[in-house]
Amino acid sequence: MHTVEAKSICKTILRNGYDTYLINPALQNEINELKNIKEIAIACEVDLETLQKLFPNLEEGQDFGELAILQGESGFTFRFYNIDSSAEAHPDALRLHYTPRMLRHLEESNSKLYEAVIGTANFIKSEDVFADLSCGFIKLEGIPCLTLQKNYALAIAALRKAANYDLPIDPNTWVAIVQNASNIADAVSGHTFVKEWRMVSAESMGRFFELLKESAILHGLIPELGALTAIKQQVEKGSELEETVFEYTIRCLKLYPEEVLHHDWVGAVAVLLHAVGKPHAAERFANRWFFSEHHRMGEKIARKILRRFHFETDEIDTICNLISNQIRFQSMMTDRGMQKFLELPDKERLIELARAQIKASSGNYTNFNHNIKFMERGTKPLSMLEPLLNGNEIMEHTKLAPGPIVGQLRDALLNAQIIGEVKNTEDAIRYVKENMYKFLD
């Protein structure tokens, strides 16, 4: 499209006190390429008589709705149409998106753009509503805002494609999505949203929810997640810098599939919701944010969200168990603590969630590495790791005073358990009473 001359014409009209703009230049450009023509449609609020004074070579329009025609020096034909500037006009009516002539060109060329503009039902349901990916964008065909208004679920599909293919969204398509964000959140059913969500890969889920937030759709669809954008926390332990809990959550979500769980969609949903309890637990003290028991609150909130979107019961239980047990691997565990951890379902997911949390906050791996080493010991029964009686209990039953003898007797008791000589607490009490004298010499 010859924009230089078109801009010059528009500036002339504007300088004389009249509003004007190019009518959907992106669509016009595609029509010119399809038909091998050189035409530019311009909307203006000036009347024909005044327009002829500004452009003496102007001719009166012949087509329906056409005000005038001007043959440009660049070889382009400029066609002028009136703007509806009446006070009663609906806001959407104040901007022309296409002209009858543009529609006729599209129909004659058998272009799928024609179907996009007029919005036939079959076209809107088809994947053809999106331009080919070779264009380098995720792009709605036709006039994006009009195409979108015929099926708001296309916005979620566009965000899903952008995330999965790691492609930018065409600027006009993006603007259409942002302009209709509240309508999209209201019109798209939970079933339709989850259907699109399930087509997002675990690796791409972070980007998908970033786009939902940036387009202002997230707060309408999942307000509990939207609330994370309003709550802050320290970027890392001991840091004065802060970030929103949502930013931290998305970083965790992008890091979670990096190690071994590359296709764990259910686990990724748990990571997405793992901090959803923080707005309810947030407390500010000594210039620091604290979120005590957020995992327990989060489990309740996540269950409500997942039920609202009709997740399967087993998926809900898995996700909520991961959220409620997320802190288990964060502290340095004892043998008994590790034994209890290994009894939990989805241990691998909990480990990878802990790893993602450490990476996301530039945290310390000391506790994590300690627990990894203890996992091998944790596969052994507790009876082989700890004696059935602790030091205080041994002193109580033997009347021994504190000292090294108590420790020696404790070790002997553990060995007796390992070889099967001692099998229960009663056996342990009898054993220490009978063997205490061996250590008194």
Side-chain angles (χ1 to χ4, degrees), residues 119 124 229 269:
I124 289 299
T229 65
V269 174

Side-chain angles (χ1 to χ4, degrees), residues 12-305:
T12 298
I13 296 172
L14 286 168
R15 283 198 299 267
N16 281 272
Y18 301 98
D19 200 5
T20 184
Y21 60 87
L22 299 182
I23 301 173
N24 202 332
L27 182 61
Q28 288 196 65
N29 192 55
E30 294 194 49
I31 291 172
N32 286 342
E33 291 181 0
L34 280 171
K35 298 286 291 182
N36 195 26
I37 57 176
K38 294 182 175 181
E39 294 186 352
I40 297 179
I42 298 176
C44 57
E45 64 175 348
V46 63
D47 58 64
L48 177 60
E49 182 179 356
T50 304
L51 199 60
Q52 286 175 326
K53 294 178 181 178
L54 298 177
F55 306 102
N57 296 329
L58 203 72
E59 298 177 4
E60 188 173 351
Q62 302 295 322
D63 204 6
F64 178 77
E66 194 174 73
L67 179 65
I69 303 172
L70 177 65
Q71 297 298 328
E73 296 177 358
S74 60
F76 274 76
T77 300
F78 296 92
R79 299 181 180 275
F80 297 86
Y81 296 83
N82 270 131
I83 293 175
D84 183 357
S85 57
S86 62
E88 295 78 18
H90 188 276
D92 291 341
L94 295 177
R95 185 174 179 84
L96 290 173
H97 295 287
Y98 52 83
T99 68
R101 184 177 182 84
M102 291 163 65
L103 283 178
R104 192 162 61 249
H105 282 320
L106 289 173
E107 186 177 17
E108 290 171 354
S109 62
N110 294 318
S111 170
K112 63 181 180 180
L113 288 174
Y114 176 72
E115 296 182 33
V117 171
I118 64 172
T120 60
N122 289 338
F123 180 83
I124 289 299
K125 293 177 182 178
S126 167
E127 283 293 303
D128 288 342
V129 74
F130 288 99
D132 191 272
L133 295 179
S134 61
C135 72
F137 290 94
I138 302 301
K139 177 183 178 184
L140 286 170
E141 290 282 26
I143 302 169
C145 61
L146 298 183
T147 302
L148 190 59
Q149 287 169 7
K150 293 157 192 166
N151 184 354
Y152 285 121
L154 292 173
I156 308 300
L159 303 188
R160 182 253 302 171
K161 286 174 174 285
N164 279 344
Y165 294 113
D166 194 23
L167 285 174
I169 297 176
D170 164 67
N172 288 323
T173 299
W174 177 254
V175 168
I177 291 172
V178 173
Q179 289 173 342
N180 288 278
S182 61
N183 294 329
I184 294 164
D186 290 340
V188 176
S189 68
H191 172 77
T192 299
F193 173 68
V194 172
K195 183 179 177 181
E196 290 289 345
W197 183 4
R198 287 188 182 277
M199 288 191 281
V200 178
S201 68
E203 293 86 348
S204 303
M205 199 178 295
R207 182 57 184 150
F208 177 63
F209 277 88
E210 266 186 332
L211 290 169
L212 282 171
K213 189 267 290 185
E214 291 169 4
S215 61
I217 297 172
L218 179 64
H219 287 68
L221 281 176
I222 313 179
E224 298 90 342
L225 273 178
L228 302 188
T229 65
I231 302 297
K232 290 190 175 182
Q233 63 180 41
Q234 276 70 45
V235 172
E236 57 186 77
K237 189 175 181 180
S239 172
E240 297 294 328
L241 297 176
E242 295 182 348
E243 65 181 342
T244 67
V245 176
F246 184 82
E247 291 171 325
Y248 161 77
T249 298
I250 294 300
R251 199 158 57 251
C252 284
L253 189 51
K254 291 179 178 179
L255 291 166
Y256 175 76
E258 279 192 344
E259 295 289 335
V260 293
L261 302 177
H262 303 300
H263 306 291
D264 184 19
W265 191 88
V266 170
V269 174
V271 179
L272 171 70
L273 300 176
H274 87 275
V276 77
K278 286 190 174 182
H280 296 262
E283 290 181 305
R284 185 76 170 176
F285 176 71
N287 207 31
R288 287 286 182 273
W289 286 107
F290 296 90
F291 304 96
S292 302
E293 296 297 291
H294 81 85
H295 57 293
R296 295 188 182 276
M297 299 178 187
E299 184 270 335
K300 304 291 185 185
I301 297 166
R303 193 173 293 276
K304 181 178 70 172
I305 294 170

